[in-house]
Each structure stands twice: as C-alpha cells, then as structure tokens.
Amino acid sequence: DLGLSFKATPWLNDKTTLKLSVIGGGTLSVESVNMETEFTEHVVTITGATAATQVVFEAGGASKYRFFLDDVKVVKIAK
C-alpha cells in the first residue's frame, strides 16, 4: 500500500469538495475530501498501485470549485 498526503484549500469563497481518483490501476481509500478555509493536510491510502498508477485531483463541480494544492507526497507504507 501507498500513502498519499497533500495540503489543499479552496479559492476564496469557492466550494470545498475536491475529487480524487486514480488511473492505471489501484484504489483510493476515499473518493473526495472536504477542504477547510486554510491549508489542511489530507492523507489517503492507495491499494493495488502499479508503476502505471496516476493520481487525479479534480474540482468537485463545474463552477466555483477552484482550489490550491501543495506538498503532494506518495510514500510506501511499511507493513
């Protein structure tokens, strides 16, 4: 398993849903997070990842879902 950590916050007065997904193999422990009004760290587990796995960060909707993203890290979880 892998641990994905990142900090995120919405653009001023925008909505707070941030969607997460993977392509190329693997499963996330959550499909979305709710962002706070200041940078907050989020931690998600990726199971079944391969060398082809890519993480996708996506706006929660078409309008007023802009966000800032920082400190993205992927690390192997020791068993």
Side-chain angles (χ1 to χ4, degrees), residues 2 23-25 48-54:
L2 300 174
I23 55 176
T50 69
T53 300
Q54 299 175 43

Side-chain angles (χ1 to χ4, degrees), residues 9-18 33-38 59-68:
T9 190
W11 187 277
L12 184 64
N13 298 321
D14 274 13
K15 297 176 184 171
T16 60
T17 302
L18 175 60
V33 297
N34 287 318
M35 299 176 286
E36 303 293 328
T37 56
E38 56 188 53
S63 178
K64 296 284 187 179
Y65 281 93
R66 298 168 293 181
F67 59 91
F68 296 98

Side-chain angles (χ1 to χ4, degrees), residues 1-71:
D1 290 355
L2 300 174
L4 166 67
S5 65
F6 59 93
K7 293 180 182 175
T9 190
W11 187 277
L12 184 64
N13 298 321
D14 274 13
K15 297 176 184 171
T16 60
T17 302
L18 175 60
K19 291 183 183 179
L20 304 169
S21 61
V22 291
I23 55 176
T27 304
L28 295 172
S29 59
V30 298
E31 295 179 355
S32 67
V33 297
N34 287 318
M35 299 176 286
E36 303 293 328
T37 56
E38 56 188 53
F39 272 106
T40 303
E41 184 174 37
H42 301 273
V43 179
V44 177
T45 301
I46 306 170
T47 55
T50 69
T53 300
Q54 299 175 43
V55 177
V56 178
F57 297 89
E58 186 177 5
S63 178
K64 296 284 187 179
Y65 281 93
R66 298 168 293 181
F67 59 91
F68 296 98
L69 186 63
D70 199 7
D71 295 333

